[in-house]
Amino acid sequence: MINVKVQCIYYSASRTTQRILDKVAEGTGMMVLPAVDITNPKTRKTFDGKMDADLVIVGSAVYEGSIPFIAMEPFLKLEGKGKWAVPVGVYGNRSAEAYISELSKLLRDREFKIIAGAQFVAQHSYNHDALAKAGAIGRPDEADLELAHSLGGKIAEKMVDPVEADIEGKPLKFGDKYKNRSEWVGERLKKMIMGPTYNADKCIQCNECVEACPIEAVDPSTYATDEDTCIKCMACIKVCPTDAKTVKFPPMVSQFMNGWGQERKEPMLYL
């Protein structure tokens, strides 16, 4: 085994991206350094862009077919300095669109070289009947994680005599609109969804929702969600052990989501 260190950096509100990237890193058989979890707002504020490994696995959930605005600032701080990188996108069985191409260009602009890439499917943050029918519930499943692990092995083989993967780079889908989320089409949809409601009778005050929120929208005293700050990532709902946090979708939003993911999609690897 060659003497290469690998490190992950990810945004993963629902923890599915983290699970996949951890499996890829494990599959390389290399020394895995502690991950940089930019889901955490404190980490995002203090991250200086420096990665200690020779090989960096960069990933996030896919928002509206692109890189989440919340991950943009730390991703743009990354310093490649000729290191190898693996862009990974994780989407909810709808479409990853050009995410891999966008992230590849961003990383190359930061002086990384792209040795491989991948897009995986995970359970969508919006639990909805249409997505359940498509088999998206419970993903990444065992097959997904096995493929992620095997991808790590293939990357390790390539690192013996590395060459760049043939992944086209594309500009960011929203361009400068990343600076103004109100202009995103999906943001207008999200505005129609009320923030998670809170049931005090079910709450055991474990603070899991407070810790999980990537945008610090949950009040640590009342556990109420700030409607104006909330990005509808559903992280607080995922971690709540007593279902004290819930969300309801308006009929118009449910109708829109009925057009998503009517068939099970499979991961794609770029080597």
Side-chain angles (χ1 to χ4, degrees):
M1 179 60 64
I2 58 174
N3 185 24
V4 173
K5 297 176 183 177
V6 61
Q7 189 173 24
C8 299
I9 177 170
Y10 49 74
Y11 167 73
S12 182
S14 297
R15 295 297 139 192
T16 49
T17 300
Q18 176 184 356
R19 291 174 62 200
I20 290 168
L21 264 64
D22 284 349
K23 273 295 179 182
V24 176
E26 177 188 298
T28 64
M30 302 170 182
M31 178 184 293
V32 181
L33 301 182
V36 178
D37 181 5
I38 58 171
T39 321
N40 186 300
K42 293 182 178 65
T43 301
R44 290 199 305 276
K45 292 173 185 175
T46 59
F47 180 59
D48 61 4
K50 295 180 175 63
M51 302 295 289
D52 298 324
D54 312 287
L55 172 66
V56 182
I57 307 175
V58 185
S60 76
V62 178
Y63 282 12
E64 297 189 47
S66 189
I67 302 168
F69 76 92
I70 197 170
M72 282 298 299
E73 185 175 352
F75 281 179
L76 288 171
K77 287 181 181 178
L78 284 166
E79 298 178 5
K81 297 182 178 180
K83 296 180 179 182
W84 291 96
V86 180
V88 179
V90 180
Y91 71 104
N93 208 70
R94 187 188 69 84
S95 174
E97 297 186 31
Y99 173 97
I100 294 298
S101 293
E102 290 181 36
L103 184 53
S104 294
K105 182 179 186 306
L106 184 152
L107 292 171
R108 287 185 179 121
D109 288 347
R110 314 260 83 69
E111 299 184 350
F112 284 95
K113 294 178 290 185
I114 307 300
I115 194 166
Q119 60 189 42
F120 283 85
V121 177
Q123 180 171 321
H124 199 283
S125 56
Y126 296 171
N127 287 347
H128 190 265
D129 289 345
L131 300 173
K133 292 174 185 174
I137 301 299
R139 298 185 74 183
D141 56 22
E142 185 176 343
D144 294 321
L145 294 175
E146 285 180 0
L147 185 62
H149 192 273
S150 69
L151 171 61
K154 291 180 172 65
I155 292 169
E157 291 173 5
K158 284 195 70 174
M159 285 295 291
V160 175
D161 187 16
V163 293
E164 283 228 40
D166 186 17
I167 302 176
E168 179 186 4
K170 292 185 178 181
L172 297 172
K173 176 180 178 179
F174 295 104
D176 289 339
K177 290 184 179 179
Y178 274 102
K179 301 173 183 177
N180 186 1
R181 286 194 292 133
S182 64
E183 297 183 38
W184 292 27
V185 174
E187 284 300 308
R188 294 198 291 272
L189 176 69
K190 287 181 179 179
K191 288 294 183 183
M192 299 173 64
I193 304 172
M194 297 295 292
T197 58
Y198 165 63
N199 186 328
D201 292 334
K202 288 186 175 183
C203 181
I204 58 173
Q205 300 182 5
C206 63
N207 287 325
E208 291 287 340
C209 59
V210 177
E211 295 297 325
C213 182
I215 207 83
E216 297 180 309
V218 182
D219 189 298
S221 300
T222 65
Y223 304 108
T225 302
D226 185 326
E227 185 68 31
D228 293 331
T229 305
C230 179
I231 60 172
K232 315 300 191 300
C233 70
M234 308 300 170
C236 61
I237 293 176
K238 302 286 186 185
V239 300
C240 182
T242 60
D243 295 326
K245 288 275 189 177
T246 56
V247 69
K248 291 184 179 180
F249 298 107
M252 185 178 294
V253 175
S254 293
Q255 183 177 3
F256 178 75
M257 288 192 292
N258 277 331
W260 292 358
Q262 294 302 312
E263 60 182 36
R264 177 186 170 96
K265 294 181 172 64
E266 298 299 335
M268 291 185 65
L269 308 183
Y270 304 84
L271 291 161

